[in-house]
Amino acid sequence: QVQLVESGGGLVQPGGSLRLACAASGAIFSISTVGWYRQAPGKQRELVATIGTMQNTNYADSVKGRFTISRDNVKNMVYLQMNSLKPEDTAVYYCNLRRLEDYWGKGTLVTVSS
């Protein structure tokens, strides 16, 4: 059974930075694609970034150049470094693991506001 637990969300001013972390349990982490998605109020959940088993990354156009995804297969962790945050980045951020099926964490709230 895979469990994902996010941390690192909070309130930050525009232009600030946050680092999200996701701790994963289960033996399939290193052979799975993992990533971050987000859902803003009244909107659908959307892709933020993913990282594959070969460290190949994919980013939404809206976060390219500002966010960086990384993974640690020894610690079973995935991170999202978010810089130059904008109010439109405000959302609940969800950790995702994909291996034959999707697994989701419960999410962590990021609020970008002055």
Side-chain angles (χ1 to χ4, degrees), residues 85-113:
L85 282 161
K86 305 175 181 179
E88 51 264 42
D89 295 318
T90 295
V92 177
Y93 284 71
Y94 296 91
C95 182
N96 170 265
L97 183 148
R98 178 166 296 171
R99 179 68 181 178
L100 301 181
E101 63 181 287
D102 281 313
Y103 300 89
W104 297 94
K106 293 183 178 180
T108 185
L109 177 63
V110 172
T111 303
V112 184
S113 175

Side-chain angles (χ1 to χ4, degrees), residues 20-99:
L20 304 184
C22 173
S25 65
I28 63 172
F29 180 86
S30 64
I31 59 172
S32 304
T33 294
V34 290
W36 292 92
Y37 290 70
R38 67 186 180 187
Q39 187 167 16
K43 295 187 176 182
Q44 291 186 331
R45 191 174 297 188
E46 63 178 5
L47 168 75
V48 177
T50 62
I51 183 166
T53 58
M54 301 300 290
Q55 303 287 337
N56 47 307
T57 57
N58 179 48
Y59 294 93
D61 288 342
S62 59
V63 307
K64 282 181 182 177
R66 300 189 297 123
F67 291 11
T68 302
I69 190 170
S70 60
R71 65 189 295 167
D72 184 332
N73 288 338
V74 174
K75 296 181 179 179
N76 278 15
M77 297 287 295
V78 57
Y79 305 98
L80 185 69
Q81 177 66 42
M82 305 186 294
N83 299 328
S84 303
L85 282 161
K86 305 175 181 179
E88 51 264 42
D89 295 318
T90 295
V92 177
Y93 284 71
Y94 296 91
C95 182
N96 170 265
L97 183 148
R98 178 166 296 171
R99 179 68 181 178

